[in-house]
Amino acid sequence: MESLPTTTTSKSERRWRSKPLQTSKPSILMAFFSCLAWLYVAGRLWQDAENRMLLTSLLKKNSDQRPKVLTVEDKLMVLGCKDLERRIVEAEMDLTLAKSQGYLKNWVQKSRSSSGKKLLAVIGVYTGFGSRLKRNVFRGSWMPKGDALQKLEERGVVIRFVIGRSANRGDSLDRNIDEENRSTKDFLILEGHEEAQEELPKKVKFFFSTAVQIWDAEFYVKVDDNIDLDLEALIGLLDRSRGQDGAYIGCMKSGDVVVEEGKPWYEPEWWKFGDGKSYFRHAAGSAIVLSKNLAQFININSASLKTYAHDDTSVGSWMMGIQATYKDDNRFCCSGVNQDKVCSMA
């Protein structure tokens, strides 16, 4: 009978001991996650401490190297002048590039007439390597040659055939032009321009840029080699137009942009001309007259001026952005029927 209480006590003890075993699993999980959280927080604190130490060392290093007194460079940076300085340097680099590409030659003094007066006009007649016969025809018709050409320059009018260089510099094409020029002395050779059909839009930029640097004139005239000029009529027209800054003179026109590749006058960048696909107002390429300040504008900005498929639309695009005075003169419409025109199709 004495053993019964003992048995009862052992069962209660077993029940009491089994309770901790049932509650230990959640506690262990909580402890585990607490450890993970502690490790995460400790790691972040350690990383932040390292970052703070690194930043502190960098700040200290920079403060040691930075002068105690602000320099002129620092003041320029604060005032925003550093950016202006950068633009000036870039502009100087563009000018240097333009010079290296033939836009500027080393002429110290611009040519004037023998009397010392400003020239009336410089007329550039486009020509090519295979056009010697056509040049001889011009020299025997409306264009003076020899002593007559020199006397015309004394009156203030310079005429030159305008041509670039061969893609193969120094070949027979270049040598033939040099030899012809030594005999006739009536060429303006664009050293920085490659003479090719696809380069014609760039040729007009080279011509105006080069001519305005060599000669000091009121006007600069670009003429195609498929027209005949009434030289005296042109001289009279330009003489009556003296002193007109910003003059852009020619047979003004506009027309549809050719968007189909393979067709004549195709414009590869047709999409730039809007939904109407129509060119802006511009002087026809047969004869284009620019006053001195417009030619100077082309010279100064030649490195950045955009050219299109045709030289006349290229010039027209340059004139749109400046204060040019458009003078639509039908006497420059060389294919027209006007009796007073200064040019006609050859």
Side-chain angles (χ1 to χ4, degrees):
M1 295 298 293
E2 296 178 355
S3 61
L4 289 175
T6 305
T7 303
T8 304
T9 304
S10 63
K11 289 182 179 180
S12 64
E13 288 177 355
R14 284 198 299 271
R15 284 196 301 269
W16 180 83
R17 290 173 182 173
S18 64
K19 289 181 180 178
L21 293 176
Q22 294 175 356
T23 59
S24 61
K25 290 182 180 180
S27 301
I28 291 173
L29 290 175
M30 289 295 294
F32 176 72
F33 286 119
S34 298
C35 290
L36 288 180
W38 181 86
L39 290 173
Y40 174 76
V41 173
R44 291 298 303 270
L45 291 174
W46 180 265
Q47 187 178 7
D48 291 343
E50 285 188 335
N51 291 339
R52 284 195 296 272
M53 291 178 62
L54 179 61
L55 289 174
T56 302
S57 62
L58 289 175
L59 288 173
K60 184 177 180 182
K61 183 178 180 181
N62 290 337
S63 63
D64 292 338
Q65 294 179 351
R66 191 175 183 84
K68 302 302 180 182
V69 180
L70 286 176
T71 63
V72 175
E73 292 286 326
D74 295 325
K75 293 179 180 178
L76 286 174
M77 189 179 298
V78 172
L79 295 174
C81 296
K82 198 73 175 177
D83 183 64
L84 179 60
E85 181 185 16
R86 177 183 60 79
R87 290 189 218 173
I88 293 174
V89 172
E90 289 176 351
E92 291 174 345
M93 292 175 64
D94 287 340
L95 181 59
T96 302
L97 177 63
K99 291 179 181 178
S100 67
Q101 292 179 342
Y103 295 104
L104 180 63
K105 288 179 141 184
N106 294 325
W107 292 293
V108 177
Q109 187 174 3
K110 294 183 180 180
S111 299
R112 293 193 170 207
S113 64
S114 58
S115 62
K117 295 181 180 179
K118 189 175 185 178
L119 297 170
L120 173 62
V122 175
I123 303 172
V125 183
Y126 272 23
T127 191
F129 292 117
S131 301
R132 183 162 189 168
L133 179 60
K134 187 177 291 187
R135 290 193 292 271
N136 288 335
V137 171
F138 285 172
R139 292 183 184 113
S141 57
W142 64 266
M143 181 175 173
K145 59 181 179 179
D147 293 339
L149 185 65
Q150 181 63 38
K151 290 181 179 179
L152 183 65
E153 293 183 12
E154 293 174 359
R155 292 176 56 191
V157 178
V158 173
I159 304 179
R160 294 289 186 272
F161 288 112
V162 182
I163 194 169
R165 285 299 190 183
S166 169
N168 302 312
R169 293 299 181 94
D171 62 5
S172 60
L173 297 175
D174 282 345
R175 292 195 298 271
N176 290 339
I177 292 296
D178 290 336
E179 182 180 355
E180 184 179 350
N181 188 37
R182 282 192 291 270
S183 174
T184 60
K185 295 180 175 59
D186 57 2
F187 277 89
L188 171 59
I189 301 176
L190 307 175
E191 297 291 344
H193 174 67
E194 179 181 322
E195 188 66 33
Q197 183 66 32
E198 62 273 13
E199 297 296 326
L200 279 178
K202 296 181 181 177
K203 185 174 181 177
V204 70
K205 181 164 58 173
F206 273 89
F207 164 64
F208 285 119
S209 297
T210 306
V212 78
Q213 293 175 81
I214 304 176
W215 294 286
D216 182 19
E218 291 276 353
F219 299 101
Y220 299 83
V221 186
K222 175 261 175 182
V223 177
D224 280 344
D225 65 349
N226 61 345
I227 65 171
D228 289 326
L229 278 181
D230 184 339
L231 190 57
E232 290 302 322
L234 176 62
I235 292 174
L237 187 154
L238 295 178
D239 190 49
R240 291 188 295 272
S241 302
R242 283 181 182 269
Q244 297 184 9
D245 286 343
Y248 174 36
I249 309 172
C251 177
M252 297 296 170
K253 65 173 186 175
S254 60
D256 295 335
V257 179
V258 179
V259 301
E260 297 181 25
E261 188 173 0
K263 285 192 173 183
W265 312 110
Y266 168 64
E267 175 59 68
E269 298 186 77
W270 54 266
W271 55 273
K272 291 186 176 180
F273 295 90
D275 296 335
K277 306 298 185 296
S278 178
Y279 282 118
F280 37 76
R281 202 76 169 161
H282 61 277
S286 299
I288 301 174
V289 181
L290 298 182
S291 61
K292 179 181 178 180
N293 61 331
L294 296 184
Q296 285 177 324
F297 169 81
I298 294 174
N299 174 44
I300 294 170
N301 299 281
S302 55
S304 57
L305 288 176
K306 167 69 178 175
T307 55
Y308 292 97
H310 315 296
D311 57 358
D312 53 358
T313 54
S314 296
V315 175
S317 69
W318 305 336
M319 297 300 104
M320 288 179 65
I322 57 178
Q323 294 294 331
T325 301
Y326 285 60
K327 300 191 70 174
D328 183 13
D329 195 326
N330 59 10
R331 286 173 291 183
F332 286 95
C333 298
C334 304
S335 59
V337 295
N338 189 353
Q339 298 298 319
D340 297 327
K341 59 186 179 183
V342 299
C343 60
S344 59
M345 304 303 295

